[in-house]
Amino acid sequence: MPNTIAQLLAEPALLQREAEMILKRHSASLKTAAKSSWPVLQPRLAEVLPELLGLYLQLYGDLFDCYYQLEQLLKLLAKSVAQRPDYLQAEDAAPQHWHKSNQALGAACYVDLFAGDFKGLQQRIPYLKQTGINYLHLMPLFKAPEPNSDGGYAVSDYRSTMPALGTMAELSGLMQQLHQQGIRPVLDFVFNHTSDEHRWAEKAKAGDPVYRDYYFFLSEAERDRYAPALREIFPEIRRGCFTQDKSSGLWIWTTFNSFQWDLNYANPAVFTAMAEEMLFLANQGAAVLRLDALAFVWKEAGTGCENLPKAHLLIKAFNAVARIAAPALQFKSEAIVHPDEVVKYIAPNECQLSYNPLLMALLWNSLATRKTRLLTESLQRRFAIDPHCSWVNYIRCHDDIGWTFDDNIAWQLGTNPDHHRQFLNHFYTGQFPGSFASGVPFQQNPLTGDCRVAGMLASLAGVDKAEAEHNPTHLEHALARIYLLNSIILSIGGLPLLYMGDELGLRNDYSYLQDPAKKDDSRWVNRVAVTDAQLAEAAQPDTLSGRIYQQLQHLIKTRATLPVAGAGTTHILSTDNPHLFCFERELDGQRLRVVANFSEHPQYWHNETGLSYTDTLTGTLLQSAAVPLSAYQVLWLQPA
């Protein structure tokens, strides 16, 4: 009697035998499709297929054509391996622990804003190398609707680039050159949705039932089974999560915008189709794929359709696909959700990298409040992750700053979390008395008053206001805040990520208000163009940009001398001074203790260890039991 799906999933030995039978049954056709790469592919299939089969059966085992769809997927993998360039095949054979290095440094940019086009970016590789960047996230660059595209996150064709940037062939050549220069390229994998101009969506609009099943075309009654439990993402732009199709009268699932159609992953054909797009990007040279909006990819009625168990199964299945066809490819989670949910996506068999929104939000919180208890207690509970994985630590991003933290911890510290978020919004949009920040509100909900904040690093840290007031003391404080934030993301453990322009202290750009296509999206205030003249100021320490850049370079170069700042473990420490943030790194007996003053007033760190320390940032020997820190000072301490 054939094994049932439940039996296969319950007994690993049966699942292993089933995978071996599938591989034996299809080995001839797979060998033909893989061509000369079959000796490489065969052992990977033998190793990973049992895991992929288990995931696939959990997702699609109740469908009558499950095994047929799996066969199509396996043929795709063989074809993809045959098409993989030799230089990427060589990288596939190497361990992928580069993100644990003390010299790993990331950056992100919009190609057009940073360099104009692909050829311009190629010319700026020397600047990237000079800065120390060896991981470069090229923000969305694929064909998208005009003029509205959600910053490029509505993809109309995963194999065509925006014409103004150049061709796909030019992008592929650029990616290979980045690899050759020791810079790993990162691309977005926008896999929760496509634009409504994607060829699949166009066929669905025309009534093709095959492609209608790629999306959600729902009757009003079907829509109402889902709608009550869903939250609105962009309430300023559009209410609800569905858009009515004028021709059919049906409702299309559109979580983010009316022109972004959510994909229906309950259909295995969608999984195979998107796996094909993913492997195409990998074969163009992507070393990392940022999994956009991954929390939303699985839908079930009666739930909020975020962070569902099958979303994790789906991502693990994509991970298994990559380990078979492109083992060097790494995944980066973009889960801007509750901290308890963020960590669930981080694992070697799911996402090896993950943005750290908790650290980002609470660094800004600590600057606003001058207190570090919420930061310390939150990270003590949630910073530790699988040692083979890494946080991507950032100060701000192309998006907004949302105040993600655990309400329970806030309550335990005597803070009302809702009121506190309102305070942070007011503080960083300059509405709170005494605020140093010049940010702008993003997506303010007219019903709840909730919003997020957008702005460049320098503007949020106080440079704009200090210069407007001609206050040199406040300007020094603003620069010290920038240095402090950079020092923490570079030392706390994980891959530090800069957003191009912040390393030069570029300021908010309000020109978006004059552009009808952008004026309703305040995130464009922190998406600024970088000119040759601005880049030249990096070498001029007498300019503001030069000072910020040179201070950052000092941190980067110091970190590169400290192996413990890379792969070392991290312990978040409590202190008896509420204005100080403290943690310790450890690697093979080497220790680095970081102490940061989040106040503009002098503070003391009580050295309970009794050891003498050398501050590696200044070379100063510190032997006192009470170590003084000046305004916003940070110490990188090694036992003397």
Side-chain angles (χ1 to χ4, degrees):
M1 181 178 177
N3 295 309
T4 66
I5 300 299
Q7 287 175 317
L8 290 173
L9 294 174
E11 299 185 40
L14 290 178
L15 192 65
Q16 175 75 31
R17 189 172 67 184
E18 184 79 0
E20 291 171 354
M21 292 175 62
I22 291 172
L23 186 55
K24 182 177 180 181
R25 186 159 57 245
H26 297 295
S27 60
S29 61
L30 295 177
K31 183 176 181 180
T32 300
K35 301 178 181 177
S36 61
S37 297
W38 177 245
V40 172
L41 177 62
Q42 185 180 26
R44 292 187 202 151
L45 280 169
E47 178 184 357
V48 183
L49 184 56
E51 180 183 346
L52 176 58
L53 176 61
L55 295 164
Y56 203 84
L57 291 177
Q58 291 179 76
L59 291 166
Y60 305 118
D62 58 345
L63 302 179
F64 75 94
D65 60 346
C66 172
Y67 277 81
Y68 168 78
Q69 295 288 353
L70 178 61
E71 179 186 354
Q72 304 313 302
L73 177 63
L74 295 178
K75 289 179 179 178
L76 164 66
L77 302 188
K79 178 182 175 183
S80 178
V81 171
Q83 296 171 342
R84 193 154 171 81
D86 290 344
Y87 81 95
L88 294 174
Q89 294 261 21
E91 291 190 13
D92 287 338
Q96 299 302 314
H97 300 146
W98 50 266
H99 48 83
K100 310 296 290 186
S101 168
N102 60 322
Q103 298 185 46
L105 178 64
C109 68
Y110 283 95
V111 174
D112 57 337
L113 295 175
F114 178 62
D117 55 21
F118 298 141
K119 292 179 180 178
L121 184 58
Q122 183 175 336
Q123 295 169 0
R124 289 195 169 174
I125 289 177
Y127 174 78
L128 297 172
K129 295 191 69 176
Q130 162 198 309
T131 305
I133 291 163
N134 44 44
Y135 162 113
L136 183 64
H137 179 186
L138 305 178
M139 303 296 288
L141 41 73
F142 299 107
K143 185 178 178 183
E146 294 293 345
N148 295 315
S149 67
D150 188 22
Y153 285 98
V155 178
S156 299
D157 189 343
Y158 296 89
R159 304 191 184 206
S160 297
T161 56
M162 296 177 183
L165 299 180
T167 65
M168 178 58 77
E170 288 174 328
L171 173 62
S172 183
L174 170 65
M175 304 250 279
Q176 183 170 0
Q177 186 169 2
L178 288 170
H179 277 274
Q180 291 169 346
Q181 295 296 320
I183 301 173
R184 287 178 168 80
V186 184
L187 295 178
D188 290 277
F189 184 41
V190 184
F191 74 124
N192 175 71
H193 48 264
T194 71
S195 92
D196 61 353
E197 295 180 3
H198 192 282
R199 61 184 178 85
W200 302 339
E202 295 288 359
K203 291 181 179 181
K205 289 178 195 174
D208 187 326
V210 171
Y211 288 96
R212 283 205 168 181
D213 282 346
Y214 273 45
Y215 302 98
F216 294 88
F217 279 74
L218 307 175
S219 67
E220 188 169 329
E222 290 172 324
R223 178 204 65 182
D224 290 344
R225 291 178 56 224
Y226 294 96
L230 305 180
R231 68 182 175 106
E232 296 174 327
I233 306 302
F234 295 147
E236 273 189 355
I237 296 174
R238 181 182 59 95
R239 309 311 303 273
C241 297
F242 299 89
T243 300
Q244 192 166 28
D245 176 44
K246 295 178 180 178
S247 61
S248 66
L250 297 173
W251 292 86
I252 301 165
W253 201 312
T254 53
T255 295
F256 297 101
N257 288 288
S258 60
F259 51 83
Q260 290 168 296
W261 287 16
D262 285 42
L263 288 162
N264 175 18
Y265 279 102
N267 178 357
V270 171
F271 178 83
T272 301
M274 288 305 293
E276 184 173 4
E277 303 306 310
M278 178 186 80
L279 294 175
F280 174 81
L281 297 180
N283 284 352
Q284 304 315 299
V288 178
L289 290 180
R290 169 191 175 275
L291 302 191
D292 179 66
L294 79 175
F296 297 86
V297 293
W298 196 270
K299 327 292 191 193
E300 290 178 13
T303 75
C305 296
E306 295 182 48
N307 306 305
L308 296 178
K310 284 194 174 181
H312 291 278
L313 294 177
L314 190 73
I315 298 161
K316 289 176 180 177
F318 276 120
N319 182 298
V321 163
R323 280 183 281 137
I324 292 171
L329 183 67
Q330 305 281 281
F331 288 170
K332 177 170 64 174
S333 163
E334 189 254 354
I336 312 303
V337 292
H338 189 280
D340 286 343
E341 297 297 335
V342 172
V343 296
K344 294 178 182 178
Y345 292 96
I346 306 170
N349 68 340
E350 195 161 350
C351 294
Q352 300 92 341
L353 303 167
S354 174
Y355 285 111
N356 195 345
L358 182 64
L359 175 65
M360 180 272 298
L362 293 182
L363 287 175
W364 288 111
N365 169 76
S366 294
L367 284 178
T369 62
R370 282 72 166 178
K371 301 289 182 65
T372 61
R373 285 282 304 283
L374 186 57
L375 172 64
T376 296
E377 298 221 5
S378 296
L379 295 189
Q380 282 177 337
R381 302 187 194 192
R382 297 187 175 89
F383 193 81
I385 54 174
D386 188 289
H388 298 97
C389 299
S390 292
W391 286 115
V392 175
N393 298 316
Y394 62 110
I395 298 169
R396 70 159 196 95
C397 67
H398 71 286
D399 256 338
D400 53 278
I401 297 175
W403 306 115
T404 177
F405 54 80
D406 188 335
D407 289 9
N408 291 328
I409 294 180
W411 281 117
Q412 290 169 17
L413 297 177
T415 298
N416 181 309
D418 294 330
H419 294 173
H420 193 60
R421 289 186 177 94
Q422 294 287 355
F423 156 71
L424 291 170
N425 286 329
H426 281 84
F427 187 94
Y428 282 105
T429 55
Q431 301 174 64
F432 190 83
S435 168
F436 52 73
S438 298
V440 296
F442 173 70
Q443 288 302 315
Q444 190 158 13
N445 190 313
L447 296 179
T448 66
D450 182 40
C451 75
R452 284 102 79 188
V453 173
M456 294 289 287
L457 167 59
S459 300
L460 293 171
V463 172
D464 295 19
K465 190 170 183 181
E467 289 203 322
E469 296 172 346
H470 304 288
N471 189 318
T473 299
H474 288 178
L475 181 59
E476 292 303 314
H477 286 168
L479 296 180
R481 292 184 194 104
I482 294 171
Y483 185 80
L484 180 150
L485 293 173
N486 280 324
S487 75
I488 291 177
I489 67 167
L490 282 159
S491 61
I492 197 169
L495 176 73
L497 181 70
L498 312 174
Y499 276 78
M500 300 311 296
D502 280 347
E503 85 284 6
L504 295 168
L506 302 189
R507 253 66 71 68
N508 288 350
D509 180 2
Y510 297 95
S511 63
Y512 76 97
L513 293 170
Q514 311 307 317
D515 186 337
K518 296 178 180 176
K519 65 182 181 63
D520 294 326
D521 187 345
S522 61
R523 291 173 299 179
W524 286 104
V525 79
N526 52 231
R527 299 170 180 174
V528 305
V530 183
T531 66
D532 289 335
Q534 288 167 331
L535 289 183
E537 290 193 9
Q540 301 171 20
D542 57 331
T543 66
L544 190 67
S545 288
R547 283 188 65 187
I548 293 171
Y549 183 86
Q550 295 299 330
Q551 289 174 349
L552 175 62
Q553 281 296 295
H554 175 60
L555 289 167
I556 293 169
K557 290 175 181 177
T558 303
R559 175 177 179 258
T561 68
L562 302 170
V564 68
T569 57
T570 302
H571 304 281
I572 309 298
L573 305 176
S574 298
T575 75
D576 57 2
N577 186 327
H579 306 291
L580 301 183
F581 178 53
C582 185
F583 56 87
E584 188 163 88
R585 308 294 310 284
E586 193 276 331
L587 178 67
D588 298 330
Q590 184 184 38
R591 294 182 181 275
L592 176 71
R593 182 167 291 213
V594 175
V595 184
N597 177 13
F598 274 81
S599 166
E600 65 268 52
H601 302 294
Q603 302 294 330
Y604 284 89
W605 170 62
H606 296 290
N607 177 11
E608 78 287 352
T609 68
L611 299 174
S612 297
Y613 287 95
T614 299
D615 177 19
T616 60
L617 295 175
T618 62
T620 304
L621 179 64
L622 302 171
Q623 297 176 298
S624 168
V627 177
L629 289 91
S630 58
Y632 299 112
Q633 186 179 1
V634 60
L635 305 172
W636 287 8
L637 304 174
Q638 282 197 302

